[in-house]
């Protein structure tokens, strides 16, 4: 939640077709190494971890009025919070970093109180409150204060470096980082919180039908995914197939420290078909084929039903990403002002050309996943 927003960006990629994968279940061949960022490029660095606090709050003008309102909301539930700097600001929310006594904290205040965004932060508040009673097997920030009615959340500021500065990392992350991230995800996915603690944020049947109605899935996609979902339920006897997931397991939502990974941004936590977190991570690691192979192997290791669930999740995640960036590209064609492409990470967008290159890669990935789905249907 409190990583500073960074745009989804992609390095220049070859426009030639990529080599084929090594099988129907998403074992891609290694592409050529992506070029590094040019000297004139900059990255948005998250203002968290062990960096010292600095800066001054600008409370002037219209934006200053928003900040004053946000600070007032925080002080209602945490009077000792002393704001120091803005960690991130978007049209929907503002993140403030400050002190509470001898410790540092991060406050999240919603600016856009429309139902969908209000529900997200209330879901996140509920998750942090649940973690007070039922600690997950991964490190999470400690809840300090929360007000779901005013959509305000205060949590501790955890030390560590963000695992990736972009939703889609610009280059393959170090193996140690991938290993730490996968270890944390697998521990979390094996956790079984008490019944009734979390709900199921994703209605699979409704999401599949909606994407089909929008033209994002073909008629055959619709039939194949419905067959896999039906087969998964039948294999599991409609019991025991749910898996607790973070719901937005991006490397940009993980902090790495000597004490272990820290997961933040719990707006989408809950019960999913197995492999949702793995599918999310696979989808954004387009420049890390070795990591993708490892994720695919993990997804297949639990048997055919878990493999099929991973493929269903992957198709939905990739389709969501495509929809998001197609919208961003269309906006960039009409408005040169950068727009926020990431649903969970509003901020400066990549250039229109970078968006188009990323979108091309997502379409390639979706086609690969589509073939894997069809192969899986053929084995049933």
């Amino acid at each position: 939640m409190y990583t500073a927003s960074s745009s989804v960006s992609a390095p220049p990629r070859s426009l030639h077709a990529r080599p084929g994968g090594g099988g129907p279940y998403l074992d891609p061949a290694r592409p050529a190494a992506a070029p590094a960022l040019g000297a004139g490029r900059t990255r948005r660095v998250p203002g968290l971890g062990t960096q010292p606090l600095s800066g001054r709050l600008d409370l002037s003008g219209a934006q200053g009025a928003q900040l004053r309102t946000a600070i007032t909301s925080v002080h209602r539930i945490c009077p000792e919070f002393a704001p120091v700097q803005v960690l991130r600001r978007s049209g929907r929310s503002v993140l403030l970093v400050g002190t509470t006594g001898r410790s540092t904290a991060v406050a999240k205040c919603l600016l856009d109180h429309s139902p969908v965004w209000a529900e997200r932060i209330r879901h996140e508040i509920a998750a942090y409150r649940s973690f007070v009673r039922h600690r997950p097997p991964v490190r999470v920030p400690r809840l300090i204060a929360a007000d779901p009615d005013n959509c305000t959340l205060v949590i501790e500021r955890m030390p560590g470096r963000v695992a990736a500065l972009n939703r889609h990392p610009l280059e393959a992350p170090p193996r140690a980082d991938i290993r730490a991230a996968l270890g944390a995800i697998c521990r979390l996915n094996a956790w079984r919180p008490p019944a009734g603690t979390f709900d199921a944020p994703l209605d699979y049947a409704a999401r599949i039908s909606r994407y089909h109605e929008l033209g994002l899935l073909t008629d055959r996609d619709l039939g194949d995914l419905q067959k896999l979902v039906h087969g998964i339920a039948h294999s599991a006897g409609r019991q025991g197939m749910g898996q607790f997931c973070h719901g937005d397991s991006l490397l940009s939502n993980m902090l790495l420290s000597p004490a272990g990974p820290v997961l933040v941004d719990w707006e989408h936590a809950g019960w999913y078909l197995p492999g949702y977190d793995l599918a999310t991570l696979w989808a954004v690691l387009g420049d890390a084929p070795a990591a993708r192979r490892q994720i695919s192997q993990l997804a297949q290791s639990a048997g055919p039903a878990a493999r099929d669930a991973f493929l269903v999740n992957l198709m939905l995640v990739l389709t969501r990403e495509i929809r998001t960036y197609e919208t961003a590209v269309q906006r960039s064609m009409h408005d040169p002002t950068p727009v926020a492409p990431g649903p969970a990470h509003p901020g400066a967008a990549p250039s229109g050309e970078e968006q188009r290159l990323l979108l091309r890669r997502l379409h390639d990935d979706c086609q690969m996943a589509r073939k894997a789905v069809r192969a899986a249907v053929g084995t049933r």
Side-chain angles (χ1 to χ4, degrees):
M1 181 199 75
Y2 59 88
T3 56
S5 172
S6 58
S7 63
V8 176
S9 57
R13 294 181 173 90
S14 170
L15 298 184
H16 298 292
R18 295 185 303 169
Y25 297 120
L26 309 175
D27 185 15
R30 178 183 293 275
L37 282 173
R41 295 291 305 280
T42 59
R43 294 175 178 174
R44 294 174 62 89
V45 180
L48 52 89
T50 57
Q51 296 93 343
L53 297 180
S54 62
R56 178 180 300 176
L57 293 176
D58 182 3
L59 300 180
S60 62
Q63 292 189 342
Q66 284 187 331
L67 282 182
R68 290 194 298 271
T69 300
I71 293 170
T72 299
S73 297
V74 175
H75 283 162
R76 289 195 189 103
I77 59 174
C78 189
E80 67 274 20
F81 181 82
V84 176
Q85 66 188 43
V86 175
L87 196 58
R88 187 190 77 196
R89 184 210 302 263
S90 73
R92 299 187 182 103
S93 64
V94 60
L95 301 186
L96 299 168
V97 61
T99 60
T100 53
R102 296 183 177 180
S103 60
T104 55
V106 173
K108 178 177 182 179
C109 304
L110 200 65
L111 302 177
D112 177 359
H113 285 258
S114 59
V116 62
W117 297 108
E119 179 59 29
R120 283 192 181 184
I121 193 170
R122 287 167 184 159
H123 186 95
E124 186 172 16
I125 289 172
Y128 277 109
R129 285 179 168 175
S130 296
F131 294 155
V132 173
R133 301 184 299 271
H134 310 289
R135 297 296 296 176
V138 296
R139 298 182 69 219
V140 300
R142 176 178 59 88
L143 175 66
I144 296 175
D147 182 357
D149 292 332
N150 287 321
C151 300
T152 305
L153 171 66
V154 184
I155 59 175
E156 69 174 321
R157 183 177 188 243
M158 300 288 282
R161 62 177 176 83
V162 68
L165 303 182
N166 304 281
R167 185 180 182 87
H168 292 254
L170 296 168
E171 55 189 24
R175 291 182 180 180
D177 292 0
I178 294 293
R179 183 166 56 250
L182 284 177
I185 288 174
C186 289
R187 288 194 302 275
L188 180 68
N189 293 161
W191 186 45
R192 307 292 293 186
T197 307
F198 293 90
D199 58 11
L202 177 58
D203 183 332
Y204 281 86
R207 181 68 59 85
I208 291 170
S209 297
R210 181 186 178 194
Y211 283 168
H212 177 253
E213 291 170 359
L214 291 173
L216 298 168
L217 296 175
T218 67
D219 291 344
R220 181 168 179 179
D221 291 336
L222 175 66
D224 287 346
L225 291 174
Q226 288 176 337
K227 288 177 183 177
L228 288 187
V229 170
H230 178 77
I232 293 165
H234 178 75
S235 298
R238 298 189 180 275
Q239 292 182 356
M241 201 58 194
Q243 183 182 75
F244 182 78
C245 293
H246 176 276
D248 197 23
S249 55
L250 308 169
L251 291 179
S252 54
N253 283 335
M254 299 182 192
L255 305 179
L256 302 178
S257 72
V262 181
L263 270 65
V264 298
D265 241 343
W266 293 89
E267 296 177 356
H268 305 281
W271 295 95
Y272 293 80
L273 290 180
Y276 189 87
D277 282 343
L278 292 178
T280 299
L281 194 56
W282 192 99
V284 299
L285 289 178
D287 291 305
R292 281 186 161 185
R293 282 193 293 270
Q294 185 177 1
I295 292 170
S296 297
Q297 290 166 2
L298 279 172
Q300 296 180 59
S301 63
R307 176 206 65 196
D308 293 351
F310 169 75
L311 293 176
V312 170
N313 287 322
L314 188 58
M315 276 294 292
L316 294 183
V317 169
L318 288 170
T319 303
R320 179 198 66 201
E321 296 289 299
I322 288 172
R323 183 188 181 199
T324 298
Y325 295 109
E326 282 185 341
T327 301
V329 169
Q330 291 171 0
R331 288 178 180 175
S332 68
M333 294 173 63
H334 300 285
D335 183 1
T337 304
V339 294
H345 296 274
S351 69
E353 179 62 20
E354 288 174 330
Q355 290 175 350
R356 286 187 285 272
L357 289 170
L358 176 57
L359 189 55
R360 173 168 293 192
R361 192 263 287 170
L362 289 171
H363 276 290
D364 290 345
D365 288 343
C366 194
Q367 185 62 21
M368 187 188 303
R370 179 175 286 110
K371 292 178 180 178
V373 167
R374 292 176 181 175
V377 170
T379 65
R380 285 196 165 274

